[in-house]
Amino acid sequence: MPGDIPNPPAAPAPVVIPRAEHNISRADISPNALKVLYRLRDAGFRACLVGGGVRDLLLGREPKDFDVATDAHPEEIRALFRNCRLIGRRFRLAHVIFGREVIEVATFRAAPEAETGAAALSDEGRILRDNVYGTIEEDAWRRDFTVNALYYDIADFSVIDYVGGMADIQAGRLRLIGDPEARYREDPVRMLRAARFAAKLGFRIDPPSEAPITELSPLLFDIAPARLFEEVLKLFLGGEALETFELLRHYDLFGKLFPFTEEVLGEEEETDHFPHMLVVHALRNTDERIAAGKPVTPAFLFAAFLWEAMRRRMPDYDVPGMSEIQAIQIAAGEIIAEQARHTSIPRRFSQPMREIWTLQPRFLNRNGRRPQRLLAHPRFRAAYDFLLLRGQAGEVDQALCDWWTEFQQRNPEEQAGMVTPEPRSGRRRRRRRRQRKPDS
Ligand code: ATP
Ligand code: MG
């Protein structure tokens, strides 16, 4: 039974699983990571693969990246590799760079309390500093989940397990190391990581690790927006966005990241309506694109998350001098600024979001040369995909989506036959609008 395992286990000595008794083969490890491990070892240091790389290899999955842990200090690491950069303010790490592949090399660290006690924790118990070097064992205990604290030792190719991670891998169980509530208070982002790993690995969160999450979820409001943005990318661009979203909502975590989205979603009991379906389809599309090896952008996902909340902010544009597009621009500015206080949204994403939104009303106008002009817009493709999403979610007529799908496939002559001829009075109206432009 999951809850029966002592937490933390009392065993002082690690369990060492020899090469013959586990499935990690050097053939599955990136040659660059091996190079780093061997060079550290040959220079007399301890060097291990650790974290998600070991976990994923044990599960027979392809690791996203390979992290190395060592007893060499950052300066010593740098001395060994010409292609090495030291990074990080909170804790110093070495990045060994091989073209596009970066191997992160971290010195074994101890938990913050080993330093000067309370000084490294905030009043709420949050980690402020954790740059104290330590032993490999201390390094294991400061990690988040047991399955993330396994070491593949390059000295003898064994797997070293201080925290019972091997049993949890076999049981498909996600278990925090140490006292769950204290560990979440130390770093509330671990709650997001719990949901992410549960979705990605198909693991069950161990009940004692699961129990405090909902109650502690408001602690996420104190996390820096830039860090949450990085987490959001991992949550929703990891290939299991829909499953992750559902878990995040289940644990009341989603609303701590996207409160305006949660407000809108929370209104309906049933989940098969717009705007819930808009979000669900956006997440599903994202997962499908990743599975097919197609590029994805968080701009599209954020546009879907915030669309309905933005629409509700739109000022009344049924007044002279204001168009629907201008009303969207005003509302978009507001909602993006407010969302950025929770998760930052770099301009390279907020700008496309605005464009995806402001192009939406233009799909309704199928008069004269308008459709061809829209087609030529640099952001047409993303805006059209967004229109299809709205169609799937039942917000706009499917016939409108189909019309645009067909319109793109036609040659210019056929396109001219599809549009509504410009009404004769249209020219005059357009001219009048141009004159109005300067004072709007
Ligand atoms: P992924 O497959 O997403 O890379 P990962 O487990 O490697 O998963 P990383 O964010 O790359 O996750 O972190 C590497 C390792 O560092 C983790 O496996 C874990 O041991 C440790 N770690 C990362 N974040 C935390 C945290 N917030 N608290 C404690 N340990 C952490
Ligand atoms: Mg990793």
Side-chain angles (χ1 to χ4, degrees), residues 50-53 55 64-67:
V50 67
R55 177 196 70 216
K64 207 179 63 193
D65 44 40
F66 291 92
D67 296 328

Side-chain angles (χ1 to χ4, degrees), residues 51-52 55 64 67 143-144 148 187 190 193 196 200:
R55 177 196 70 216
K64 207 179 63 193
D67 296 328
R143 289 178 184 273
D144 50 2
N148 285 346
D187 183 3
R190 289 174 185 148
R193 291 173 61 86
R196 174 159 73 89
K200 165 175 159 161

Side-chain angles (χ1 to χ4, degrees), residues 39-338:
R39 184 162 312 169
L40 285 163
R41 178 196 66 185
D42 295 345
F45 295 108
R46 189 99 200 257
C48 299
L49 220 51
V50 67
V54 177
R55 177 196 70 216
D56 291 348
L57 288 173
L58 288 170
L59 290 168
R61 305 169 64 104
E62 196 187 325
K64 207 179 63 193
D65 44 40
F66 291 92
D67 296 328
V68 169
T70 177
D71 59 0
H73 284 197
E75 307 298 336
E76 295 171 315
I77 302 166
R78 182 164 57 187
L80 284 178
F81 301 94
R82 267 194 305 134
N83 47 333
C84 177
R85 210 163 285 157
L86 299 189
I87 60 140
R89 263 164 290 152
R90 208 176 83 173
F91 40 79
R92 301 196 85 195
L93 296 171
H95 276 178
V96 186
I97 297 152
F98 300 89
R100 288 175 58 197
E101 189 180 14
V102 176
I103 306 296
E104 196 169 283
V105 186
T107 307
F108 295 141
R109 293 203 305 274
E113 56 268 22
E115 193 190 15
T116 47
L121 295 178
S122 74
D123 292 345
E124 295 83 39
R126 197 142 46 84
I127 298 180
L128 300 176
R129 268 173 290 131
D130 61 354
N131 52 358
V132 208
Y133 300 132
T135 63
I136 180 171
E137 176 162 9
E138 288 169 320
D139 191 75
W141 286 100
R142 62 133 189 122
R143 289 178 184 273
D144 50 2
F145 298 96
T146 61
V147 298
N148 285 346
L150 295 165
Y151 296 77
Y152 171 82
D153 192 344
I154 202 67
D156 59 3
F157 315 119
S158 63
V159 171
I160 308 173
D161 181 4
Y162 288 94
V163 296
M166 207 60 172
D168 287 336
I169 290 247
Q170 278 151 7
R173 179 171 51 215
L174 205 56
R175 186 164 60 94
L176 270 176
I177 298 169
D179 175 58
E181 180 168 341
R183 299 308 308 280
Y184 289 136
R185 286 190 183 279
E186 253 175 30
D187 183 3
V189 169
R190 289 174 185 148
M191 295 186 274
L192 299 175
R193 291 173 61 86
R196 174 159 73 89
F197 293 130
K200 165 175 159 161
L201 306 172
F203 277 25
R204 171 153 178 31
I205 305 176
D206 192 35
S209 297
E210 182 183 41
I213 296 182
T214 299
E215 198 192 318
L216 298 181
S217 66
L219 294 174
L220 286 169
F221 285 132
D222 300 331
I223 304 297
R227 178 154 184 231
L228 287 187
F229 175 73
E230 292 303 317
E231 278 309 310
V232 161
L233 297 185
K234 293 187 195 170
L235 289 166
F236 298 114
L237 303 181
E240 296 290 347
L242 188 52
E243 174 75 18
T244 306
F245 166 74
E246 275 157 10
L247 279 179
L248 290 174
R249 285 206 79 210
H250 175 76
Y251 293 118
D252 273 355
L253 294 166
F254 184 77
K256 308 306 181 289
L257 299 171
F258 295 96
F260 310 110
T261 310
E262 182 58 43
E263 200 179 308
V264 168
L265 296 181
E267 285 173 7
E268 298 265 4
E269 272 296 308
E270 303 97 278
T271 54
D272 57 348
H273 297 294
F274 175 83
H276 193 273
M277 287 318 279
L278 184 82
V279 171
V280 165
H281 282 296
L283 293 164
R284 191 175 290 148
N285 285 3
T286 303
D287 287 342
E288 285 167 1
R289 289 183 66 92
I290 290 172
K294 294 184 192 165
V296 287
T297 164
F300 191 76
L301 215 47
F302 277 48
F305 281 174
L306 293 170
W307 170 249
E308 180 59 16
M310 180 280 293
R311 298 212 20 105
R312 295 184 184 192
R313 302 280 177 114
M314 282 168 63
D316 182 9
Y317 56 90
D318 197 15
V319 294
M322 169 138 6
S323 67
E324 185 177 1
I325 291 172
Q326 286 167 322
I328 291 179
Q329 280 164 343
I330 291 167
E334 272 183 39
I335 200 86
I336 288 172
E338 289 174 33

Side-chain angles (χ1 to χ4, degrees), residues 347-391:
R347 263 190 73 85
R348 66 182 185 282
F349 301 126
S350 63
Q351 194 49 37
M353 277 171 75
R354 286 171 207 266
E355 285 177 296
I356 288 170
W357 286 344
T358 50
L359 289 177
Q360 294 307 307
R362 291 177 58 179
F363 285 104
L364 294 172
N365 191 333
R366 287 176 280 175
N367 294 337
R369 307 240 349 120
R370 300 288 179 105
Q372 271 170 337
R373 259 191 263 146
L374 183 51
L375 200 59
H377 192 284
R379 200 69 70 188
F380 172 82
R381 185 70 215 187
Y384 162 76
D385 285 342
F386 197 75
L387 177 78
L388 295 190
L389 204 62
R390 295 172 65 209

